[in-house]
Amino acid sequence: MNYPTTQSSLLERVQQGDEISWNEFYFRYAPVIRAAGMGFKFNETECDDLIQQVMLKFFNHAETFVYRKGEVKFRTYFAQIVHSQAVDMIRKSVTQKNLHCEFPDNPDPFHELFMEEWRKAVFEEAKTELRLRVDEKTFMAFELYGLQNRKVDTVADILEMTPNQIYVAKNRCLNILQKIIQRHNENDGELHLEI
């Protein structure tokens, strides 16, 4: 499978018209689209327009989108939609002369910015999977101590745990998260996601 299971199930729920899934999809991928717009030197309003155009295009085709295992990654498909909508906006701006966007001198910033934001989205997806695999206190200990770098004594007081329990929770979650991320990296050789 070329995209993670969580993403696969999200796409299936989106295709079925699940409103909550549409919202989840929007909030997961809007930052990716915004970063791509910034790569094209779009202003905030233009980035908002790009997000709307991409979401509209994707939502209009979601019901007929068919995943062909081994043929294309969802990321590649989504990046093409984002890129084509950005180029369309630039073409319209040249015609209308009322947008302040331009082609970047180097086309690589689109790919780099898109991948950077894609990695963030996949990392959030990996954290969601981790959260489902451990109890809430263990996850919160990892989030607060392992990811937010709060002091162990502070986290222990907040969660009513001992510092040793916090260390154990962090190590357990880190091991699980590394395996999840490894799977994502194996599924997408260009991802190179790290903790």
Side-chain angles (χ1 to χ4, degrees):
M1 184 174 292
N2 282 329
Y3 55 77
T5 306
T6 305
Q7 187 172 323
S8 174
S9 65
L10 173 61
L11 291 175
E12 289 168 6
R13 291 190 319 264
V14 164
Q15 287 176 315
Q16 295 167 0
D18 180 357
E19 188 175 327
I20 293 171
S21 297
W22 283 115
N23 290 336
E24 182 182 344
F25 184 90
Y26 182 91
F27 288 110
R28 182 176 291 177
Y29 295 113
V32 175
I33 301 166
R34 181 171 301 284
M38 300 303 267
F40 280 101
K41 300 190 178 7
F42 288 1
N43 63 35
E44 285 296 315
T45 303
E46 292 162 345
C47 285
D48 290 341
D49 290 344
L50 178 63
I51 291 169
Q52 293 304 317
Q53 292 297 319
V54 169
M55 291 296 177
L56 183 62
K57 181 89 167 183
F58 181 79
F59 294 164
N60 285 339
H61 293 91
E63 289 182 13
T64 58
F65 173 73
V66 177
Y67 174 64
R68 292 182 183 91
K69 187 175 179 179
E71 288 184 29
V72 68
K73 293 179 180 87
F74 174 74
R75 174 180 45 81
T76 303
Y77 170 75
F78 194 68
Q80 288 173 342
I81 292 174
V82 173
H83 189 269
S84 69
Q85 291 303 306
V87 170
D88 285 351
M89 285 180 62
I90 292 169
R91 285 187 185 126
K92 287 178 186 174
S93 77
V94 169
T95 303
Q96 298 171 353
K97 302 283 187 201
N98 66 352
L99 293 178
H100 299 66
C101 54
E102 57 189 54
F103 283 104
D105 296 333
N106 178 359
D108 285 340
F110 170 81
H111 180 71
E112 291 168 18
L113 287 168
F114 187 88
M115 282 302 295
E116 181 180 327
E117 289 302 315
W118 191 263
R119 285 181 189 103
K120 290 178 187 175
V122 172
F123 184 73
E124 287 304 313
E125 190 172 314
K127 278 178 41 183
T128 299
E129 183 179 338
L130 169 65
R131 187 178 212 139
L132 295 172
R133 293 175 62 178
V134 297
D135 66 68
E136 190 63 24
K137 252 189 179 180
T138 300
F139 180 81
M140 288 307 299
F142 175 67
E143 177 76 30
L144 295 172
Y145 178 67
L147 297 178
Q148 294 180 15
N149 296 317
R150 295 190 186 196
K151 293 181 179 179
V152 70
D153 292 331
T154 303
V155 175
D157 288 343
I158 292 170
L159 297 177
E160 298 176 349
M161 297 171 73
T162 66
N164 191 49
Q165 290 173 314
I166 301 294
Y167 297 133
V168 170
K170 176 192 171 195
N171 289 333
R172 178 171 178 234
C173 288
L174 191 57
N175 287 334
I176 294 169
L177 189 59
Q178 285 173 335
K179 289 175 184 170
I180 295 168
I181 286 174
Q182 180 182 356
R183 188 185 74 233
H184 283 275
N185 284 332
E186 288 170 358
N187 289 336
D188 185 344
E190 296 176 39
L191 190 58
H192 306 295
L193 184 62
E194 297 177 0
I195 297 177

